[in-house]
Amino acid sequence: MKVTVIDGQGGKMGSMIIERIKNTALPCELIAIGTNSIAASAMLKAGADAGASGENPVIAACRDADVIIGPIGIIAADSLLGEVTPAMAVAVGQSKAKKLLLPVNLCGNIIVGTGSTPMAKLISQAVDELEKLCK
């Protein structure tokens, strides 16, 4: 199973997700795609199998991913402080991959009903869902 983790800014959330997946030892290939080079680098350091940054890598990775994990902003153009381009948002949205989107209420996207769930709990829930998909 090919899992693409997309994150931006400093890549902290993506790094935490990758570390948790690696620690769970799920049978998947982990591809880290940063909306910038700092995020990609952080996710590679966290243990991703491969990684890249920028608009075209997001578009290319979405074509053959089985699962895409990232903040809800990856499906909204101009989110993550403008790091998500319209082409990136379309690529994620149109991908046939299952999408595990974390309701991060930052950068103008507020998901009503999610409360203030701590990041660690959101990541735990996302990895639990990935584990179900791997079975």
Side-chain angles (χ1 to χ4, degrees):
M1 177 174 290
K2 189 171 190 177
V3 177
T4 298
V5 179
I6 302 173
D7 197 12
Q9 298 176 347
K12 184 174 181 180
M13 183 186 66
S15 296
M16 292 170 63
I17 291 168
I18 289 167
E19 287 174 2
R20 178 70 191 273
I21 293 169
K22 285 291 187 177
N23 289 337
T24 308
L26 294 175
C28 57
E29 177 185 12
L30 278 173
I31 308 301
I33 305 295
T35 58
N36 63 61
S37 61
I38 294 169
S41 177
M43 291 188 286
L44 282 166
K45 286 179 186 173
D49 298 314
S53 65
E55 181 179 78
N56 200 61
V58 169
I59 294 167
C62 288
R63 287 186 198 127
D64 63 353
D66 295 306
V67 178
I68 297 170
I69 304 175
I72 190 81
I74 63 174
I75 60 169
D78 297 331
S79 64
L80 301 180
L81 298 175
E83 291 183 12
V84 177
T85 68
M88 290 174 173
V90 168
V92 174
Q94 290 182 342
S95 174
K96 294 189 186 304
K98 296 283 184 187
K99 294 159 198 80
L100 301 178
L101 303 172
L102 284 75
V104 181
N105 291 328
L106 299 171
C107 303
N109 297 307
I110 299 170
I111 294 76
V112 177
T114 60
S116 297
T117 306
M119 182 63 66
K121 183 163 178 133
L122 292 173
I123 290 169
S124 180
Q125 291 173 351
V127 174
D128 290 347
E129 288 299 320
L130 178 61
E131 195 167 12
K132 291 177 191 173
L133 291 172
C134 285
K135 292 181 180 182

